């Protein structure tokens, strides 16, 4: 089955710890995105990548880092600099670079211990 | 920065009724998309309407776009309990290089 897979589904972070969220797609899509969703809010863009080895900051990139070493993978690291990391994180991908018709993973809920 | 804003924030209807959700945005766009999200899940793309289109249909969905008013509406006809979800509009501002901006969503509840 083609799709986009996020793991883990739930993640807990201790204070001062970096954690990495995984996102893998086998749709052969060029572009990948990370969004953060807080309760009752819309999605806010953290980072996006339109091509391998290149990525751009979104609206709320501070405290996060990404890499795009392979076309199918776009991991997100939540660093200790992100002081309010509790949220639902969504990864998405799209064919081409125009942000049309995004396919989303099922999300990772990150909580702070 | 929030571009699209949905209205109403929440909507509760009976099965079989029609549901209408609205989205307003601020700047010129290339296209506007509607997505659906079931609780605790990822979003699913429903429909895309381009800036030069005024209306588009997909099954029980009807989307309109009025670029002069910077607004769009999503109509779900003959709603079903399975339509219960949050619905988001997303805009691709002109020159944004594919950076979508999502609204806060309309939470639709369809009661059987």
């Amino acid at each position: 089955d083609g799709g986009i897979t996020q793991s883990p589904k739930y993640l807990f972070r201790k204070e001062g710890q970096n954690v990495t969220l995984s996102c893998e797609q086998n749709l052969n899509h060029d572009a990948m995105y990370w969004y953060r969703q807080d309760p009752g809010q819309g999605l806010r863009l953290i980072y996006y990548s339109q091509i391998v080895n290149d990525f751009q900051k979104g609206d709320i990139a501070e405290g996060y880092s990404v890499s795009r070493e392979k076309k199918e993978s776009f991991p997100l690291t939540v660093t200790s600099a992100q002081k309010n990391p509790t949220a639902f994180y969504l990864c998405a991908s799209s064919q081409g670079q125009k942000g049309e018709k995004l396919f989303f993973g099922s999300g990772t809920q990150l909580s702070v211990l | 920065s929030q571009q699209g804003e949905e209205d109403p924030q929440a909507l509760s209807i009976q099965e079989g009724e029609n549901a209408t959700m609205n989205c307003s945005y601020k700047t010129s766009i290339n296209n506007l998309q509607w997505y659906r999200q079931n609780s605790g899940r990822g979003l699913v793309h429903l429909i895309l309407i381009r800036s030069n289109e005024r209306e588009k249909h997909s099954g029980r969905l009807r989307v309109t776009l009025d670029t002069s008013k910077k607004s769009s509406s999503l109509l779900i006809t003959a709603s079903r309990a399975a339509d219960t979800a949050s619905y988001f509009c997303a805009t691709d501002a002109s020159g944004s290089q594919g950076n979508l901006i999502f609204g806060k969503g309309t939470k639709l509840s369809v009661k059987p």
Side-chain angles (χ1 to χ4, degrees):
Chain A
D1 284 340
I4 181 163
T5 302
Q6 288 186 243
S7 62
K9 189 169 178 60
Y10 300 98
L11 186 59
F12 297 91
R13 193 192 89 166
K14 295 179 182 178
E15 197 160 337
Q17 185 183 40
N18 293 353
V19 292
T20 298
L21 284 61
S22 171
C23 179
E24 303 276 333
Q25 54 99 358
N26 61 4
L27 300 166
N28 199 33
H29 283 173
D30 295 313
M32 297 187 75
Y33 312 81
W34 274 106
Y35 288 92
R36 169 178 172 144
Q37 186 177 30
D38 292 282
Q41 300 294 313
L43 279 64
R44 291 184 291 167
L45 183 65
I46 305 172
Y47 270 98
Y48 65 105
S49 168
Q50 294 182 325
I51 197 168
V52 174
N53 292 322
D54 188 36
F55 47 83
Q56 287 78 41
K57 293 182 180 180
D59 297 325
I60 55 165
E62 187 173 348
Y64 300 96
S65 66
V66 293
S67 62
R68 186 88 186 275
E69 297 176 1
K70 298 185 295 182
K71 187 175 185 177
E72 58 269 24
S73 179
F74 191 40
L76 173 74
T77 296
V78 184
T79 74
S80 57
Q82 172 49 246
K83 298 305 179 186
N84 184 24
T86 296
F88 190 54
Y89 290 85
L90 286 160
C91 180
S93 69
S94 67
Q95 182 65 41
Q97 300 173 352
K98 292 185 178 180
E100 296 182 359
K101 194 177 180 181
L102 269 60
F103 286 78
F104 282 83
S106 56
T108 294
Q109 176 64 49
L110 175 62
S111 303
V112 177
L113 289 175
Chain B
S1 58
Q2 217 76 27
Q3 158 98 305
E5 292 291 338
E6 291 89 347
D7 170 58
Q9 291 186 350
L11 181 60
S12 182
I13 59 174
Q14 296 293 132
E15 224 172 11
E17 293 180 341
N18 295 344
T20 299
M21 289 158 268
N22 303 296
C23 170
S24 59
Y25 57 92
K26 296 175 183 174
T27 63
S28 296
I29 59 171
N30 295 313
N31 63 66
L32 185 144
Q33 303 176 55
W34 284 92
Y35 288 81
R36 163 193 166 132
Q37 183 182 34
N38 288 84
S39 182
R41 306 287 296 174
L43 279 70
V44 175
H45 180 268
L46 295 176
I47 198 164
L48 180 152
I49 187 165
R50 301 196 183 279
S51 59
N52 61 353
E53 298 175 311
R54 291 297 167 258
E55 189 171 312
K56 206 161 182 181
H57 297 255
S58 177
R60 292 184 296 113
L61 304 181
R62 173 181 167 243
V63 168
T64 62
L65 179 64
D66 187 335
T67 53
S68 67
K69 295 181 180 179
K70 291 187 171 58
S71 68
S72 173
S73 67
L74 171 67
L75 168 67
I76 303 175
T77 60
S79 62
R80 305 166 181 167
D83 294 328
T84 295
S86 292
Y87 292 82
F88 295 87
C89 68
T91 50
D92 172 18
S94 300
S96 68
Q97 298 183 334
N99 182 355
L100 286 187
I101 299 176
F102 286 81
K104 294 184 179 182
T106 291
K107 193 167 187 177
L108 174 66
S109 175
V110 182
K111 299 180 180 179

